[in-house]
Amino acid sequence: MKYRIAIAAWLAITATATPGHAADPRYPDWPCTQAKVPEISLAAVWAGPPLDDVSGKWKDDAKVSALVAKLAARRTPLEEAQKAITEYLSGAADKTASGKLLFAGLFESLNAQRSQVMNGLERVTRKQREAADKIRADTLALQALQSETPPDQAKIDDLGNQLVWQTRIFEDRRNVIKFVCEVPTAIDQRLFTLGRTIQQEIE
């Protein structure tokens, strides 16, 4: 009976959209309903002075590098990050130069963080596709074993238990994917908010 439930669960899985059914053919492994935007556009998150003259230079300043790491970490509450920006820039000799340096670091760091998350989502999607193929094959094999006369109950039990476990892992991963799909958008919003805080301080 429990193996019939496993088969029913698998049929339910295949009836819904499995990861890899991407809306955009350019990104076949993208599992999220949100459109994939590979990189954050600078113009979308920064309306301050040009950053061309400070690109990459933020890494040479130990204080800025440490602050960027703290601000970019999602475990740092947004309000705490905004307060740290205000405190840093209020003591800067050149607010504009310091603000540009700080945002350049944030932009580079959060874009890289976002890319890591998105690459991870696509890796998991590929694993899900492989898992789906395995579950499908095992489901057919289980049905064949159950049709044999006489049935080999030991083999049925082994394969049935394996199928139950595989289906559970598949579902757990799918739930994780739904959660992680929200992360790139959260990173976008964090960068926009922190960029706005920096701009307000240097205006």
Side-chain angles (χ1 to χ4, degrees):
M1 180 65 183
K2 63 180 179 179
Y3 308 138
R4 289 178 186 170
I5 293 171
I7 291 170
W10 170 237
L11 292 174
I13 287 172
T14 54
T16 57
T18 359
H21 291 213
D24 191 333
R26 293 175 300 171
Y27 311 114
D29 295 328
W30 182 243
C32 308
T33 55
Q34 303 93 324
K36 181 181 179 182
V37 180
E39 290 188 347
I40 304 171
S41 164
L42 180 60
V45 291
W46 179 251
L51 303 176
D52 297 345
D53 58 330
V54 297
S55 180
K57 295 180 180 178
W58 63 276
K59 294 178 181 177
D60 300 329
D61 187 316
K63 191 172 182 179
V64 171
S65 294
L67 184 55
V68 164
K70 177 182 178 180
L71 301 178
R74 294 195 302 278
R75 64 178 176 274
T76 303
L78 203 52
E79 287 185 4
E80 183 181 325
Q82 290 174 297
K83 184 180 177 183
I85 289 171
T86 300
E87 289 175 352
Y88 170 69
L89 292 178
S90 64
D94 185 337
K95 277 191 176 185
T96 299
S98 296
K100 287 170 59 177
L101 209 59
L102 186 58
F103 186 77
L106 275 174
F107 182 74
E108 186 176 330
S109 298
L110 285 174
N111 240 332
Q113 188 184 115
R114 188 174 176 276
S115 292
Q116 288 176 349
V117 170
M118 296 173 87
N119 290 339
L121 278 166
E122 291 182 324
R123 278 196 304 274
V124 173
T125 299
R126 289 190 287 272
K127 286 183 180 178
Q128 284 290 80
R129 192 177 294 121
E130 292 171 5
D133 290 342
K134 183 69 166 63
I135 293 172
R136 186 181 298 110
D138 285 351
T139 299
L140 294 173
L142 180 60
Q143 289 173 326
L145 283 173
Q146 290 172 326
S147 299
E148 289 180 354
T149 306
D152 187 329
Q153 196 58 46
K155 286 185 178 179
I156 290 173
D157 288 344
D158 285 345
L159 189 54
N161 287 329
Q162 181 178 313
L163 185 56
V164 169
W165 182 246
Q166 288 173 339
T167 305
R168 186 176 301 147
I169 291 172
F170 185 94
E171 281 290 350
D172 287 346
R173 276 186 185 155
R174 187 161 64 173
N175 291 332
V176 169
I177 286 172
K178 288 178 184 177
F179 173 76
V180 179
C181 275
E182 302 296 329
V183 174
T185 300
I187 292 173
D188 294 351
Q189 293 170 346
R190 184 179 188 86
L191 182 57
F192 177 80
T193 301
L194 297 181
R196 180 66 62 85
T197 301
I198 292 171
Q199 288 170 63
Q200 289 172 345
E201 290 296 323
I202 66 177
E203 284 175 353

